Every structure is written in structure tokens, then in C-alpha cells.
Amino acid sequence: SAVISQKPSRDICQRGTSLTIQCQVDSQVTMMFWYRQQPGQSLTLIATANQGSEATYESGFVIDKFPISRPNLTFSTLTVSNMSPEDSSIYLCSVEADGDGYTFGSGTRLTVV
Amino acid sequence: AQSVSQHNHHVILSEAASLELGCNYSYGGTVNLFWYVQYPGQHLQLLLKYFSGDPLVKGIKGFEAEFIKSKFSFNLRKPSVQWSDTAEYFCAVTSYSGGGADGLTFGKGTHLIIQP
């Protein structure tokens, strides 16, 4: 299955700033997915990133707050913009591997102070 | 829209007890179903998946799940749990649209504690 490298693994950021999270996959994939896991909660899909087109956002998530780039078939970034303490979460990227299920990165633990 | 309901939010069992975690989903079309586990401090790992075929699927670490289409259920089972099974368990569902894989919809999770 695909191997995902995600960084940073954790960060502590000041409110009002932005953080860009990187996700690198060891194979070419069509779709990459970004999730948020708030403290003590389940995972919620933020958006789907398809190479060569704009990301598709789920209800409750907007491009201005969570801009996504997908420059090629192995890489994507998620930016958390103008952060507030409510954005403190674990952010994960995921890929679907040839119909064999979904693989997840190790996540980025973000704390906004 | 899809939704996933996990009935048990916290479960406490003794070692060697049998386990069944309930999962029901809401979606009118063809779905793919998954169970993921998250051990303390670790990232998500796939336990098992159902795409098609035999509705009884076996996964890693002795886990199995049964897809019952008429009940929209995909319950996770293990005949004898171990202390190392203490973790968070997530049921998830997705569908495949014409454009490829869709993202996963997760249940709220079940926190399983196994007492020695």
C-alpha cells in the first residue's frame, strides 16, 4: 500500500497566523483527501484534492480558510489560514490505493494559542 | 449524504471476553465499508474492509466483520480480546462515483478499554 509522509508532525502557532501542512506519497495517486480530527472527536473530511483541478470542499469548509494545492500526483498541501484556537486539531491526509482501501498519514497535531 | 452511526461510545471488557461493536450506515447506493483502529498515540490503521463478495470479512489481529445489507450494518467482532486491543475503533463508509474514490465518512468512534 502507499506510504504517506506528512509534515510537520506537530506545531504550536499564534492565532491569526497560517500553517501549511505537506503530504508526500510514494506513488502516484489520483485523489488525495484531507481530514480534521478535533480533540476527542472522529475524523471529518475537509476536502478532496484532484491533480489539475480545484479541490472539492465539504460542507462547512471553505477555500479561503483551508486552501489546498495539488501540483502533481504525489504531493499536496493544506493551509490553515488565520488560525484561532478552534482550529486546534489533528489534520491528516489520506489516499485511496488502487481500490484496496485508504491509507492515512501520521497526522499534524496543531495547537493554536 | 452518507452517515455512520456507532452505537457504543465507550466499552470496557475483561481480557478473553468476546467483542461486538455496532455500526450502521445510511446510504442508498453501493458502499464500501471499513473499520479502522487508532492505538494510543498512533495513527489510523486499517483493520478490515468490505467491497463485495462474501459478507463476512476477516481482518488483522483476529478481527472480523459481517456486512448485512438488509440492516445497513457492518458490525465488528472478535471472539477473545486482549489487553493490547485497547484503542479507538472507527467505522467508515464511502462510495465510488464515476470520477473515482470519494472520501470516507466516519462514525464517532468507540473507545475500547480492555482490563487485564
Side-chain angles (χ1 to χ4, degrees), chain A residues 31-32 47-57 63 68-70:
Chain A
M31 304 285 195
M32 294 181 75
T48 301
N50 194 357
Q51 194 269 335
S53 62
E54 281 199 4
T56 301
Y57 289 82
I63 188 171
I68 288 171
S69 77
R70 183 79 201 276

Side-chain angles (χ1 to χ4, degrees), chain A residues 97-108:
Chain A
D98 298 327
D100 197 36
Y102 294 76
T103 301
F104 286 83
S106 55
T108 297

Side-chain angles (χ1 to χ4, degrees), chain A residues 58-77:
Chain A
E58 299 298 307
S59 176
F61 298 96
V62 295
I63 188 171
D64 290 346
K65 177 66 175 177
F66 298 101
I68 288 171
S69 77
R70 183 79 201 276
N72 57 54
L73 291 173
T74 64
F75 187 78
S76 178
T77 67

Side-chain angles (χ1 to χ4, degrees), chain B residues 2-4 6 8 16 22 44 46 49 51 53 57 64 67-68 72 77-78 88 92 96 101 104 109 114-115:
Chain B
Q2 302 164 359
S3 66
V4 178
Q6 290 183 240
N8 316 101
L44 280 171
L46 179 66
K49 60 186 183 291
F51 286 0
V57 293
E64 64 179 32
F67 170 55
I68 303 179
F72 297 90
R77 299 194 291 250
K78 186 171 184 179
E88 192 83 17
Y96 281 76
L104 290 168
I114 306 300
Q115 296 178 330

